[in-house]
Amino acid sequence: MQKGNKIAILMTWYGPLPPYFDAWLRSAEKNPDVDFLCFSDADIQSASPNIICHRMSFEEQVELCAEKMKRKVSFAGAYKFCDARPFFGIIFEDYLKDYDFWGYCDIDLVFGKIRNFLTDDLLEKTERFFPYGHLSVFKNDEKMKHLYDLPGGIYSMQEIFEGKEKTTPEEYGGINRICQKNHISWYTQPDFADFKVFYPNRLEMGHGKPNYQKQIFVWQDGRAWQIYEENGVQKRQELIYMHWQKRKPVLEGTLTEQAYMILAPDRIYVSEDPQILETIDYEKWNPSLSEKQKKQCKGRYLRKKLLDFAKSDMGTKRIWLRQKIYKKLEFNRSYT
């Protein structure tokens, strides 16, 4: 039962569920003071009262979007539908009437204890939380529902709802820029682990978060942890969630009530054995990389990105270049 400010986080997914979905679901179930509203054509089963499932086809979802936005909507697929996220407060308003805050999230992550971070004191003075699509939370009022009506967005409504190119208005070129320019009270601390995409065989946090040669990432008793060794001493840092973007880890083991999860670069290992965490084999679960190896990994990743850009259609190229130009202009205004 939720106390204080009531929060709903919306999850949308169309098509077969990925092999790691049960890890996301278990971590959501372990947040009883947050409701998760799942809109999907998949048969999602959960006995937890905070998991509220609405069976809906992708076509029905697009129809609802067009009805609520009062405009033509022609999303080509579920990935493009993510462009509608800043408007979920409008699209799903009939489902959000009883909530003080609403948000959206990805499913390639596991949550820690969300309300350990989104406290009532912080909720009372904040309109928006976090700057990325993995998890963003908004105050449920008219201002935040219509945030994109404020100046600052670099994409037109036609590009978002009718264009075939992915614009990503839930991040920099959209509502992030709007929040900056309109002085929205916005919590941006990176309390999460967003793993760098450069390193396929190692998990390291981005966004300026400290990393250690010996570190692993664990979900235990509903909480998410970075466990690391510093000067021979084992320490822990609590996280609101851990996001393994652009990876497809396989879930190994059975998620019993007593089980914990270790996130490895290619798998999510499930165990009840406490000895594994008492004498951690850091190299087994998260192999270290030399600076030379890191440089090589970054080089391969950047070459692939350039090749993907070269192969993309002209519309995608224009969107990408516009994003880069606006970021460059903002940097120049800030530092010259």
Side-chain angles (χ1 to χ4, degrees), residues 174-229:
I175 54 175
N176 285 7
R177 195 167 186 269
I178 291 171
C179 286
Q180 291 169 347
K181 291 189 169 297
N182 294 276
H183 308 293
I184 300 298
S185 55
W186 179 21
Y187 183 86
T188 60
Q189 293 299 313
D191 296 328
F192 45 82
D194 183 25
F195 299 125
K196 296 178 181 179
V197 297
F198 303 123
Y199 312 132
N201 300 316
R202 177 169 170 80
L203 299 180
E204 282 202 357
M205 299 188 292
H207 310 292
K209 299 282 285 182
N211 290 283
Y212 303 86
Q213 182 176 0
K214 294 183 177 181
Q215 66 178 15
I216 64 169
F217 297 88
V218 174
W219 182 90
Q220 185 178 28
D221 297 327
R223 300 171 75 178
W225 300 98
Q226 176 198 25
I227 302 177
Y228 60 96
E229 190 172 300

Side-chain angles (χ1 to χ4, degrees), residues 312-326:
S312 63
D313 58 51
M314 190 54 64
T316 299
K317 285 185 173 74
R318 283 196 292 265
I319 292 291
W320 187 86
L321 289 171
R322 191 192 313 171
Q323 291 169 344
K324 296 299 179 184
I325 289 169
Y326 269 92

Side-chain angles (χ1 to χ4, degrees), residues 62-293:
V62 172
E63 184 178 342
L64 175 64
C65 182
E67 175 190 340
K68 289 297 184 178
M69 294 304 300
K70 297 180 171 58
R71 62 170 301 114
K72 180 182 177 182
V73 174
S74 54
F75 293 131
Y79 182 57
K80 171 64 177 174
F81 181 72
C82 290
D83 279 5
R85 283 173 157 182
F87 309 92
F88 276 9
I90 301 171
I91 297 167
F92 297 103
E93 61 184 357
D94 294 337
Y95 301 89
L96 297 172
K97 292 177 180 178
D98 295 329
Y99 296 97
D100 303 292
F101 287 81
W102 61 270
Y104 46 75
C105 71
D106 291 344
I107 63 171
D108 55 347
L109 57 81
V110 290
F111 293 104
K113 285 294 184 185
I114 293 172
R115 293 305 299 267
N116 284 3
F117 295 85
L118 303 188
T119 63
D120 277 318
D121 286 345
L122 195 53
L123 288 165
E124 289 297 333
K125 58 187 179 184
T126 310
E127 294 175 293
R128 183 192 174 193
F129 293 85
F130 306 122
Y132 300 104
H134 344 135
L135 175 67
S136 280
V137 176
F138 305 81
K139 190 172 184 179
N140 192 16
D141 62 14
E142 290 302 309
K143 176 183 176 182
M144 300 309 290
K145 284 165 61 175
H146 296 273
L147 184 60
Y148 207 85
D149 292 344
L150 299 175
I154 70 172
Y155 315 110
S156 70
M157 296 289 276
Q158 185 172 4
E159 287 175 315
I160 293 170
F161 287 101
E162 298 178 48
K164 64 179 182 178
E165 296 84 13
K166 184 77 171 62
T167 57
T168 319
E170 73 267 35
E171 295 187 0
Y172 172 71
I175 54 175
N176 285 7
R177 195 167 186 269
I178 291 171
C179 286
Q180 291 169 347
K181 291 189 169 297
N182 294 276
H183 308 293
I184 300 298
S185 55
W186 179 21
Y187 183 86
T188 60
Q189 293 299 313
D191 296 328
F192 45 82
D194 183 25
F195 299 125
K196 296 178 181 179
V197 297
F198 303 123
Y199 312 132
N201 300 316
R202 177 169 170 80
L203 299 180
E204 282 202 357
M205 299 188 292
H207 310 292
K209 299 282 285 182
N211 290 283
Y212 303 86
Q213 182 176 0
K214 294 183 177 181
Q215 66 178 15
I216 64 169
F217 297 88
V218 174
W219 182 90
Q220 185 178 28
D221 297 327
R223 300 171 75 178
W225 300 98
Q226 176 198 25
I227 302 177
Y228 60 96
E229 190 172 300
E230 186 178 35
N231 300 323
V233 179
Q234 189 183 104
K235 300 180 180 180
R236 287 184 172 220
Q237 174 66 44
E238 188 173 4
L239 303 160
I240 188 171
Y241 64 86
M242 301 180 292
H243 177 226
W244 55 79
Q245 58 171 322
K246 304 191 186 305
R247 293 178 171 86
K248 296 180 180 180
V250 176
L251 188 64
E252 293 185 355
T254 303
L255 277 168
T256 63
E257 189 62 31
Q258 294 76 32
Y260 62 86
M261 295 182 270
I262 298 177
L263 274 60
D266 60 347
R267 58 187 168 136
I268 302 168
Y269 181 75
V270 181
S271 178
E272 293 183 11
D273 183 1
Q275 189 174 0
I276 294 175
L277 296 183
E278 291 169 4
T279 56
I280 297 172
D281 186 344
Y282 291 98
E283 282 296 313
K284 176 181 179 179
W285 301 112
N286 197 22
S288 58
L289 294 174
S290 67
E291 289 304 314
K292 181 180 179 181
Q293 289 172 317

